[in-house]
Amino acid sequence: MSKKKPRPIPVPAATIPGLIDAHTHLASCAGEPAALVARAVAAGVDKLCTVGDGLAEARMALESARELEGVFAACAIHPTRAGQLDAAARAELTGMVADPACVAVGETGLDTYWITHDPEGTADLETQEEALRWHIDLAVSAGKALMIHNREADAELLRVLADSPTPVHTILHCFSSPLDVAREATDRGYTLSFAGNVTFRRNEELREAARLVPAEQILIETDAPYMTPEPFRGSRNEPSLIGHTALCIAQVRGVDVEELAGVLSRNFDRVYGL
Ligand SMILES: [Zn+2]
Ligand SMILES: [Zn+2]
């Protein structure tokens, strides 16, 4: 009787045609990229952006983007690992970002959560900020979108973005900040990308942000293998599960999910320069 209930095996929502996944990590999900993409396609996903957040992962992301239909790459060094951004890494990333298969510089940004929880294993804030500024300059010079990771660093991030050159598009991935940050970010023209945590019962304020963001500034993502949407929270995530997040956002915005998918697809193309 006291046995813990096993976690359900996640299944996609009913197939929703024309879906996108603006930020995922194919290299970190369970299985081969081709199989993950095939399952996503079966769930209606047309296009996805896979993120390499270290040099090895960025190489894999580019390889998937070159080989698989509808797959695009983003390349950068994650803020928590910003100490790895040495001269050789900068040279290699500059080459990767010039590749047509790479549509964004990211994920870069600021993360104070891991500085607090794992100070030994995490780059300090000064190192993170210096790396962020380098990635911003790279996005600007390459003419590609900037994809931002922000964990508990709202004020610092808004300050750095405001006093830096402006990339063609700035995406705040896995947007999880309060409403005033959502308003400031959309006023500045940034794109907010919502992940599975928008479906979590307690995240009412996040759903309000998803309701308020202008239609041309919204994206959705799995951030797989993390952030699995309800009703499968806690299980392993993958791009085929994006439909659950799409259904939640369509509901809060009061639109059909097919209509939302069309809006998101056009935003994906514009932001990633397709
Ligand atoms: Zn992130
Ligand atoms: Zn990510």
Side-chain angles (χ1 to χ4, degrees), residues 9-269:
I9 294 168
V11 290
T15 301
I16 303 161
L19 281 177
I20 56 100
D21 181 352
H23 179 118
T24 192
H25 299 265
L26 289 179
S28 306
C29 292
E32 287 300 310
L36 289 157
V37 172
R39 287 203 289 277
V41 168
V45 177
D46 281 347
K47 293 170 282 203
L48 62 83
C49 180
T50 185
V51 180
D53 56 4
L55 278 185
E57 294 85 350
R59 289 182 203 118
M60 285 190 268
L62 264 187
E63 197 180 299
S64 292
R66 288 190 192 116
E67 284 172 5
L68 300 169
E69 179 80 28
V71 176
F72 304 88
C75 301
I77 304 279
H78 195 278
T80 54
R81 298 196 252 163
Q84 296 171 12
L85 191 64
D86 58 13
R90 288 171 201 229
E92 187 173 354
L93 277 172
T94 302
M96 287 173 166
V97 167
D99 191 305
C102 176
V103 296
V105 174
E107 57 189 288
T108 179
L110 299 173
D111 189 320
T112 67
Y113 174 89
W114 283 112
I115 292 176
T116 308
H117 289 83
D118 179 22
E120 292 302 306
T122 307
D124 61 41
L125 197 56
E126 202 185 326
T127 306
Q128 290 189 21
E129 181 174 330
E130 202 272 323
L132 168 59
R133 290 184 186 278
W134 182 83
H135 283 103
I136 294 172
D137 287 344
L138 179 60
V140 170
S141 64
K144 301 214 170 163
L146 176 71
M147 183 188 280
I148 293 289
H149 166 102
N150 166 24
R151 195 157 182 197
E152 297 180 9
D154 293 339
E156 298 91 334
L157 178 74
L158 289 173
R159 171 181 58 78
V160 173
L161 291 177
D163 71 18
S164 299
T166 309
V168 274
H169 293 284
T170 299
I171 305 154
L172 304 186
H173 114 79
C174 192
F175 185 82
S176 306
S177 300
L179 268 182
D180 59 325
V181 177
R183 288 201 187 91
E184 172 69 22
T186 50
D187 285 351
R188 291 187 189 185
Y190 304 161
T191 297
L192 274 48
S193 182
F194 292 91
N197 56 342
V198 76
T199 69
F200 298 172
R201 197 166 54 87
R202 281 200 197 146
N203 285 350
E204 205 49 65
E205 189 175 1
L206 205 47
R207 283 188 286 281
E208 182 63 10
R211 192 178 71 78
L212 290 175
V213 55
E216 54 292 347
Q217 287 170 269
I218 187 170
L219 285 171
I220 63 170
E221 61 174 71
T222 54
D223 202 12
Y226 320 105
M227 287 290 168
T228 313
E230 294 288 8
F232 303 111
R233 182 178 184 179
S235 299
R236 206 180 168 89
N237 200 5
E238 63 169 58
S240 67
L241 302 176
I242 190 70
H244 299 288
T245 300
L247 286 167
C248 169
I249 291 194
Q251 192 186 20
V252 301
R253 291 177 71 87
V255 296
D256 292 340
V257 73
E258 292 81 6
E259 184 188 332
L260 177 73
V263 167
L264 296 169
S265 175
R266 287 190 290 278
N267 290 348
F268 187 103
D269 290 354

